[in-house]
mmCIF file with all atom_site columns, all heavy atoms in Angstrom:
data_model
loop_
_atom_site.group_PDB
_atom_site.id
_atom_site.type_symbol
_atom_site.label_atom_id
_atom_site.label_alt_id
_atom_site.label_comp_id
_atom_site.label_asym_id
_atom_site.label_entity_id
_atom_site.label_seq_id
_atom_site.pdbx_PDB_ins_code
_atom_site.Cartn_x
_atom_site.Cartn_y
_atom_site.Cartn_z
_atom_site.occupancy
_atom_site.B_iso_or_equiv
_atom_site.pdbx_formal_charge
_atom_site.auth_seq_id
_atom_site.auth_comp_id
_atom_site.auth_asym_id
_atom_site.auth_atom_id
_atom_site.pdbx_PDB_model_num
ATOM 1  N N   . ALA Z 1 136 ? 1.241   35.405 -12.498 1.00 0.00 ? 136 ALA Z N   1
ATOM 2  C CA  . ALA Z 1 136 ? 1.354   36.128 -13.764 1.00 0.00 ? 136 ALA Z CA  1
ATOM 3  C C   . ALA Z 1 136 ? 0.476   37.367 -13.763 1.00 0.00 ? 136 ALA Z C   1
ATOM 4  O O   . ALA Z 1 136 ? 0.902   38.454 -14.191 1.00 0.00 ? 136 ALA Z O   1
ATOM 5  C CB  . ALA Z 1 136 ? 0.982   35.211 -14.926 1.00 0.00 ? 136 ALA Z CB  1
ATOM 6  N N   . LEU Z 1 137 ? -0.745  37.238 -13.273 1.00 0.00 ? 137 LEU Z N   1
ATOM 7  C CA  . LEU Z 1 137 ? -1.656  38.390 -13.242 1.00 0.00 ? 137 LEU Z CA  1
ATOM 8  C C   . LEU Z 1 137 ? -1.192  39.431 -12.228 1.00 0.00 ? 137 LEU Z C   1
ATOM 9  O O   . LEU Z 1 137 ? -1.246  40.644 -12.496 1.00 0.00 ? 137 LEU Z O   1
ATOM 10 C CB  . LEU Z 1 137 ? -3.073  37.923 -12.908 1.00 0.00 ? 137 LEU Z CB  1
ATOM 11 C CG  . LEU Z 1 137 ? -3.761  37.056 -13.973 1.00 0.00 ? 137 LEU Z CG  1
ATOM 12 C CD1 . LEU Z 1 137 ? -5.099  36.550 -13.464 1.00 0.00 ? 137 LEU Z CD1 1
ATOM 13 C CD2 . LEU Z 1 137 ? -3.950  37.837 -15.268 1.00 0.00 ? 137 LEU Z CD2 1
ATOM 14 N N   . ASN Z 1 138 ? -0.756  38.984 -11.077 1.00 0.00 ? 138 ASN Z N   1
ATOM 15 C CA  . ASN Z 1 138 ? -0.310  39.928 -10.056 1.00 0.00 ? 138 ASN Z CA  1
ATOM 16 C C   . ASN Z 1 138 ? 0.900   40.728 -10.518 1.00 0.00 ? 138 ASN Z C   1
ATOM 17 O O   . ASN Z 1 138 ? 1.085   41.884 -10.120 1.00 0.00 ? 138 ASN Z O   1
ATOM 18 C CB  . ASN Z 1 138 ? 0.022   39.177 -8.769  1.00 0.00 ? 138 ASN Z CB  1
ATOM 19 C CG  . ASN Z 1 138 ? 0.122   40.087 -7.571  1.00 0.00 ? 138 ASN Z CG  1
ATOM 20 O OD1 . ASN Z 1 138 ? -0.613  41.061 -7.446  1.00 0.00 ? 138 ASN Z OD1 1
ATOM 21 N ND2 . ASN Z 1 138 ? 1.036   39.780 -6.660  1.00 0.00 ? 138 ASN Z ND2 1
ATOM 22 N N   . SER Z 1 139 ? 1.729   40.135 -11.367 1.00 0.00 ? 139 SER Z N   1
ATOM 23 C CA  . SER Z 1 139 ? 2.940   40.807 -11.846 1.00 0.00 ? 139 SER Z CA  1
ATOM 24 C C   . SER Z 1 139 ? 2.698   41.679 -13.071 1.00 0.00 ? 139 SER Z C   1
ATOM 25 O O   . SER Z 1 139 ? 3.401   42.674 -13.267 1.00 0.00 ? 139 SER Z O   1
ATOM 26 C CB  . SER Z 1 139 ? 4.020   39.766 -12.179 1.00 0.00 ? 139 SER Z CB  1
ATOM 27 O OG  . SER Z 1 139 ? 4.391   39.024 -11.045 1.00 0.00 ? 139 SER Z OG  1
ATOM 28 N N   . HIS Z 1 140 ? 1.704   41.330 -13.913 1.00 0.00 ? 140 HIS Z N   1
ATOM 29 C CA  . HIS Z 1 140 ? 1.618   41.973 -15.215 1.00 0.00 ? 140 HIS Z CA  1
ATOM 30 C C   . HIS Z 1 140 ? 0.250   42.565 -15.568 1.00 0.00 ? 140 HIS Z C   1
ATOM 31 O O   . HIS Z 1 140 ? 0.169   43.381 -16.491 1.00 0.00 ? 140 HIS Z O   1
ATOM 32 C CB  . HIS Z 1 140 ? 2.008   40.975 -16.312 1.00 0.00 ? 140 HIS Z CB  1
ATOM 33 C CG  . HIS Z 1 140 ? 3.416   40.463 -16.186 1.00 0.00 ? 140 HIS Z CG  1
ATOM 34 N ND1 . HIS Z 1 140 ? 4.512   41.200 -16.557 1.00 0.00 ? 140 HIS Z ND1 1
ATOM 35 C CD2 . HIS Z 1 140 ? 3.893   39.286 -15.702 1.00 0.00 ? 140 HIS Z CD2 1
ATOM 36 C CE1 . HIS Z 1 140 ? 5.609   40.496 -16.328 1.00 0.00 ? 140 HIS Z CE1 1
ATOM 37 N NE2 . HIS Z 1 140 ? 5.263   39.338 -15.800 1.00 0.00 ? 140 HIS Z NE2 1
ATOM 38 N N   . ALA Z 1 141 ? -0.808  42.162 -14.891 1.00 0.00 ? 141 ALA Z N   1
ATOM 39 C CA  . ALA Z 1 141 ? -2.139  42.637 -15.270 1.00 0.00 ? 141 ALA Z CA  1
ATOM 40 C C   . ALA Z 1 141 ? -2.374  44.059 -14.790 1.00 0.00 ? 141 ALA Z C   1
ATOM 41 O O   . ALA Z 1 141 ? -1.711  44.549 -13.867 1.00 0.00 ? 141 ALA Z O   1
ATOM 42 C CB  . ALA Z 1 141 ? -3.215  41.710 -14.703 1.00 0.00 ? 141 ALA Z CB  1
ATOM 43 N N   . SER Z 1 142 ? -3.351  44.722 -15.405 1.00 0.00 ? 142 SER Z N   1
ATOM 44 C CA  . SER Z 1 142 ? -3.750  46.062 -14.972 1.00 0.00 ? 142 SER Z CA  1
ATOM 45 C C   . SER Z 1 142 ? -4.403  45.980 -13.598 1.00 0.00 ? 142 SER Z C   1
ATOM 46 O O   . SER Z 1 142 ? -4.871  44.922 -13.170 1.00 0.00 ? 142 SER Z O   1
ATOM 47 C CB  . SER Z 1 142 ? -4.736  46.658 -15.974 1.00 0.00 ? 142 SER Z CB  1
ATOM 48 O OG  . SER Z 1 142 ? -5.955  45.921 -15.962 1.00 0.00 ? 142 SER Z OG  1
ATOM 49 N N   . GLN Z 1 143 ? -4.458  47.109 -12.927 1.00 0.00 ? 143 GLN Z N   1
ATOM 50 C CA  . GLN Z 1 143 ? -5.087  47.156 -11.613 1.00 0.00 ? 143 GLN Z CA  1
ATOM 51 C C   . GLN Z 1 143 ? -6.548  46.731 -11.700 1.00 0.00 ? 143 GLN Z C   1
ATOM 52 O O   . GLN Z 1 143 ? -7.066  46.040 -10.818 1.00 0.00 ? 143 GLN Z O   1
ATOM 53 C CB  . GLN Z 1 143 ? -4.977  48.561 -11.019 1.00 0.00 ? 143 GLN Z CB  1
ATOM 54 C CG  . GLN Z 1 143 ? -5.447  48.683 -9.584  1.00 0.00 ? 143 GLN Z CG  1
ATOM 55 C CD  . GLN Z 1 143 ? -4.551  47.944 -8.593  1.00 0.00 ? 143 GLN Z CD  1
ATOM 56 O OE1 . GLN Z 1 143 ? -3.407  47.614 -8.910  1.00 0.00 ? 143 GLN Z OE1 1
ATOM 57 N NE2 . GLN Z 1 143 ? -5.065  47.686 -7.405  1.00 0.00 ? 143 GLN Z NE2 1
ATOM 58 N N   . GLU Z 1 144 ? -7.212  47.128 -12.772 1.00 0.00 ? 144 GLU Z N   1
ATOM 59 C CA  . GLU Z 1 144 ? -8.622  46.773 -12.956 1.00 0.00 ? 144 GLU Z CA  1
ATOM 60 C C   . GLU Z 1 144 ? -8.804  45.260 -13.038 1.00 0.00 ? 144 GLU Z C   1
ATOM 61 O O   . GLU Z 1 144 ? -9.694  44.697 -12.400 1.00 0.00 ? 144 GLU Z O   1
ATOM 62 C CB  . GLU Z 1 144 ? -9.163  47.430 -14.224 1.00 0.00 ? 144 GLU Z CB  1
ATOM 63 C CG  . GLU Z 1 144 ? -10.620 47.096 -14.510 1.00 0.00 ? 144 GLU Z CG  1
ATOM 64 C CD  . GLU Z 1 144 ? -11.109 47.677 -15.823 1.00 0.00 ? 144 GLU Z CD  1
ATOM 65 O OE1 . GLU Z 1 144 ? -10.313 48.328 -16.539 1.00 0.00 ? 144 GLU Z OE1 1
ATOM 66 O OE2 . GLU Z 1 144 ? -12.289 47.467 -16.147 1.00 0.00 ? 144 GLU Z OE2 1
ATOM 67 N N   . LEU Z 1 145 ? -7.953  44.584 -13.821 1.00 0.00 ? 145 LEU Z N   1
ATOM 68 C CA  . LEU Z 1 145 ? -8.053  43.133 -13.929 1.00 0.00 ? 145 LEU Z CA  1
ATOM 69 C C   . LEU Z 1 145 ? -7.717  42.455 -12.606 1.00 0.00 ? 145 LEU Z C   1
ATOM 70 O O   . LEU Z 1 145 ? -8.356  41.472 -12.215 1.00 0.00 ? 145 LEU Z O   1
ATOM 71 C CB  . LEU Z 1 145 ? -7.145  42.619 -15.037 1.00 0.00 ? 145 LEU Z CB  1
ATOM 72 C CG  . LEU Z 1 145 ? -7.552  42.910 -16.479 1.00 0.00 ? 145 LEU Z CG  1
ATOM 73 C CD1 . LEU Z 1 145 ? -6.530  42.341 -17.447 1.00 0.00 ? 145 LEU Z CD1 1
ATOM 74 C CD2 . LEU Z 1 145 ? -8.939  42.342 -16.780 1.00 0.00 ? 145 LEU Z CD2 1
ATOM 75 N N   . LYS Z 1 146 ? -6.715  42.971 -11.916 1.00 0.00 ? 146 LYS Z N   1
ATOM 76 C CA  . LYS Z 1 146 ? -6.358  42.397 -10.616 1.00 0.00 ? 146 LYS Z CA  1
ATOM 77 C C   . LYS Z 1 146 ? -7.543  42.470 -9.655  1.00 0.00 ? 146 LYS Z C   1
ATOM 78 O O   . LYS Z 1 146 ? -7.886  41.477 -8.985  1.00 0.00 ? 146 LYS Z O   1
ATOM 79 C CB  . LYS Z 1 146 ? -5.164  43.127 -10.020 1.00 0.00 ? 146 LYS Z CB  1
ATOM 80 C CG  . LYS Z 1 146 ? -3.848  42.920 -10.738 1.00 0.00 ? 146 LYS Z CG  1
ATOM 81 C CD  . LYS Z 1 146 ? -2.747  43.709 -10.034 1.00 0.00 ? 146 LYS Z CD  1
ATOM 82 C CE  . LYS Z 1 146 ? -1.434  43.666 -10.771 1.00 0.00 ? 146 LYS Z CE  1
ATOM 83 N NZ  . LYS Z 1 146 ? -0.389  44.449 -10.101 1.00 0.00 ? 146 LYS Z NZ  1
#
Side-chain angles (χ1 to χ4, degrees):
L137 293 174
N138 196 36
S139 298
H140 299 283
S142 66
Q143 187 68 18
E144 179 184 1
L145 288 179
K146 291 180 186 179

